[in-house]
Amino acid sequence: MEILWVLIALVMLGFVLLPVLRRRRSAVGLVPPGHPDAADPANYGFAREEELDVRMPGPDQDLLDVLDLVQRTQDYRGAQQLLAGTEAEGERRWQRVQAFAGAASLELQQRPGGVGEMPGGQWLRVWRAEAPKDAGGAAVHAEFLVQQAWRTATPGTDEFRIIMEEAKAACGEAALLAPGDPVPYIVELSVARGLGYSREEFEQLWLKILDRAPAHMGAHLAALPYWCEKWHGSRELAYSFAEAAAARAPHGSMLAAMPLFAVFEHLPEVNLVSGFYQSEVVTRAVHGALHAVHSARPDDPTQAHVRHLLVFFLVRGERWAEAMNQLIVIDGHVGALPWTLSPDPAAEFAVYRALAVAGYEANGGSPATLPH
């Protein structure tokens, strides 16, 4: 009987792997590095893997300059000034709060401190101590605690709950310091997911965000996981939330791409359905996301989130030229889904980029035929 089960397992494994291997041989035509026919992403001006910036989804030179200054000098005042001059209701403030909190969290992970050693991220502690009424510092501290909970503890444990309860209190304090700022409430969306808010509690929190920034893409991205099957909702609830957001999206808004994020959140771990990425539900969501980026304002910082996810789906769907059109816009930054789910986001992104280049060239494309 054990031999029979082994044989069944081998047959099932063959069904899973055979289409993948066949596609890689024929459609994409991957060959070993160094082979004369190997496609080289560098021919398209793409950044080397080691140059890819994992801190943010797209360019924000002001943020990069200030972040480098803060980390080099351990003086928080540059971050304080940048956030004070960033529009409260806009998408960029949310991303900058995330970036500063993520930098402090990563510093602490790399330098936890010890006898005679100062822990990393000390500039954030000094910021909160010296400017306790500063709204920007309060928001960054709340987001820092959220990231620490997800990074260092396991959901459901006492340690996780303690950090999340502290983050919840920090969100409340940040909201009091800036009543019109949606960011503290957006940060709390992650707390709501981690602590398992009831649907009534979550809806009350969501209404506070809608009152302040009803078309905020970042808020919708942060809210979606709560409604997903793996957390406190279902596939149907997540799709309904995403489709409702897309339906009310104003012209030029990235909200039209929300159904693609809902599809991504519910991808099967093993896909046994041939052509899943060409299916109607995926194709419709991809087209909505493509429409969003084509009509976006050039300065909309959330379009990078959408373009990164489009690369994932377009490569999986073997739509090579369209994937390349996204890559030429976002290459250089990888701080977005789906890459951030990997232990090595840059390496994961580089694999998909190489597949896109190989598929593009296997179908007659070249650097000369790719519009910039």
Side-chain angles (χ1 to χ4, degrees):
M1 180 62 72
E2 290 182 2
I3 294 176
L4 178 60
W5 283 114
V6 171
L7 290 174
I8 292 173
L10 289 173
V11 169
M12 292 299 294
L13 184 61
F15 277 121
V16 174
L17 294 179
L18 185 59
V20 176
L21 295 174
R22 185 177 297 148
R23 280 201 302 273
R24 287 192 172 186
R25 278 201 310 268
S26 57
V28 180
L30 287 179
V31 293
H35 189 282
D37 294 330
D40 186 358
N43 293 337
Y44 295 84
F46 293 147
R48 296 195 301 270
E49 183 179 327
E50 61 270 22
E51 296 173 339
L52 295 170
D53 193 326
V54 302
R55 296 174 295 181
M56 58 192 69
D60 184 344
Q61 194 58 51
D62 289 340
L63 173 60
L64 283 176
D65 292 342
V66 171
L67 192 54
D68 289 341
L69 177 65
V70 168
Q71 293 188 302
R72 186 175 67 255
T73 64
Q74 291 295 295
D75 186 338
Y76 68 87
R77 285 174 292 183
Q80 181 183 37
Q81 292 169 4
L82 182 66
L83 286 181
T86 304
E87 181 187 9
E89 296 79 12
E91 304 281 356
R92 201 171 294 279
R93 183 177 178 84
W94 167 68
Q95 292 196 6
R96 288 175 171 175
V97 166
Q98 282 193 312
F100 286 128
S105 181
L106 186 58
E107 279 186 39
L108 182 58
Q109 181 183 10
Q110 294 170 342
R111 302 193 309 276
V115 179
E117 181 187 10
M118 184 177 294
Q122 187 67 20
W123 54 269
L124 178 55
R125 297 181 185 86
V126 175
W127 188 355
R128 295 298 295 131
E130 293 186 354
K133 300 301 183 183
D134 181 65
V140 172
H141 180 238
E143 174 66 21
F144 168 81
L145 290 170
V146 167
Q147 293 193 27
Q148 281 295 101
W150 292 111
R151 181 172 288 169
T152 65
T154 302
T157 63
D158 288 342
E159 180 187 8
F160 181 84
R161 177 167 288 277
I162 288 170
I163 302 174
M164 276 298 189
E165 290 287 0
E166 187 180 355
K168 181 179 180 180
C171 288
E173 183 178 352
L176 288 174
L177 291 172
D181 187 353
V183 171
Y185 299 105
I186 297 174
V187 175
E188 192 179 348
L189 290 171
S190 188
V191 176
R193 175 162 52 100
L195 292 181
Y197 282 21
S198 69
R199 290 186 182 175
E200 181 181 359
E201 291 174 311
F202 189 88
E203 290 285 7
Q204 289 175 352
L205 173 61
W206 184 240
L207 286 174
K208 293 176 182 177
I209 295 170
L210 292 183
D211 285 343
R212 290 161 175 81
H216 200 291
M217 179 65 174
H220 285 78
L221 291 177
L224 177 62
Y226 177 91
W227 296 111
C228 290
E229 196 171 61
K230 58 191 171 186
W231 286 104
H232 309 293
S234 65
R235 181 190 300 265
E236 290 72 25
L237 284 171
Y239 278 30
S240 176
F241 174 81
E243 288 166 2
R248 65 172 182 270
H251 179 73
S253 168
M254 291 295 102
L255 290 178
M258 282 302 300
L260 189 64
F261 287 87
V263 170
F264 177 76
E265 290 285 355
H266 294 88
L267 288 178
E269 290 187 12
V270 178
N271 175 31
L272 298 177
V273 180
S274 177
F276 172 78
Y277 290 92
Q278 291 94 17
S279 65
E280 182 180 354
V281 64
V282 173
T283 300
R284 187 168 61 247
V286 166
H287 285 170
L290 286 170
H291 170 74
V293 297
H294 289 157
S295 60
R297 299 189 318 273
D299 63 341
D300 188 334
T302 62
Q303 66 170 297
H305 289 275
V306 178
R307 291 184 187 276
H308 280 288
L309 197 61
L310 273 169
V311 169
F312 173 87
F313 277 97
L314 291 170
V315 168
R316 288 290 187 99
E318 300 179 2
R319 297 167 64 169
W320 315 116
E322 291 170 291
M324 293 293 286
N325 287 333
Q326 302 307 317
L327 284 168
I328 61 175
V329 178
I330 58 170
D331 188 74
H333 300 85
V334 295
L337 286 175
W339 328 121
T340 49
L341 297 178
S342 168
D344 190 343
E348 185 77 3
F349 173 82
V351 167
Y352 275 78
R353 185 178 63 182
L355 287 168
V357 170
Y360 182 64
E361 294 189 355
N363 287 274
S366 71
T369 61
L370 184 66
H372 284 73

